[in-house]
Amino acid sequence: MLEKDKMITGILIGILLPIVLYALFYFIMQVSGIYVTETLSEKTILFLIGINAFFMRHFMVKREQDQIGKGILIVTFLGAIVYVIYYYAGAIV
């Protein structure tokens, strides 16, 4: 499926994977009647950043598709930076 080693593919995977997984998580929580709090949402987003890192390692080490891995890495770093700024910028200042 992903035979071509292109960075844009990695960027798309890095963006779409957490969005789809978070939407699935949110849908399951709504159907089960559990309210998604800010703390639960924060922990879930941090977990999804870790999932991105797992997929980055999979593409770089296991499949030897470095460009896809680099694309996922870029999105993961940007996601981690946005996460820290959004949740912890007030604590730093």
Side-chain angles (χ1 to χ4, degrees):
M1 181 176 146
L2 297 172
E3 288 85 25
K4 296 197 177 190
D5 190 20
K6 295 190 176 188
M7 190 178 292
I8 190 71
T9 305
I11 291 172
L12 290 175
I13 291 171
I15 291 171
L16 293 177
L17 181 69
I19 290 173
V20 169
L21 290 177
Y22 187 82
L24 181 65
F25 161 76
Y26 192 80
F27 175 74
I28 290 170
M29 296 301 274
Q30 292 296 318
V31 168
S32 64
I34 300 172
Y35 182 71
V36 179
T37 63
E38 183 73 22
T39 304
L40 181 60
S41 180
E42 177 184 351
K43 290 178 182 180
T44 304
I45 291 169
L46 187 59
F47 177 74
L48 292 175
I49 290 171
I51 293 290
N52 247 11
F54 171 78
F55 276 95
M56 180 228 17
R57 183 186 182 284
H58 173 74
F59 278 103
M60 292 185 93
V61 175
K62 302 276 185 183
R63 294 185 61 163
E64 296 181 0
Q65 291 180 315
D66 291 340
Q67 293 301 315
I68 292 176
K70 287 177 186 177
I72 297 172
L73 178 66
I74 290 169
V75 174
T76 303
F77 276 151
L78 290 175
I81 290 168
V82 169
Y83 173 84
V84 169
I85 290 171
Y86 184 78
Y87 287 106
Y88 297 105
I92 296 171
V93 175

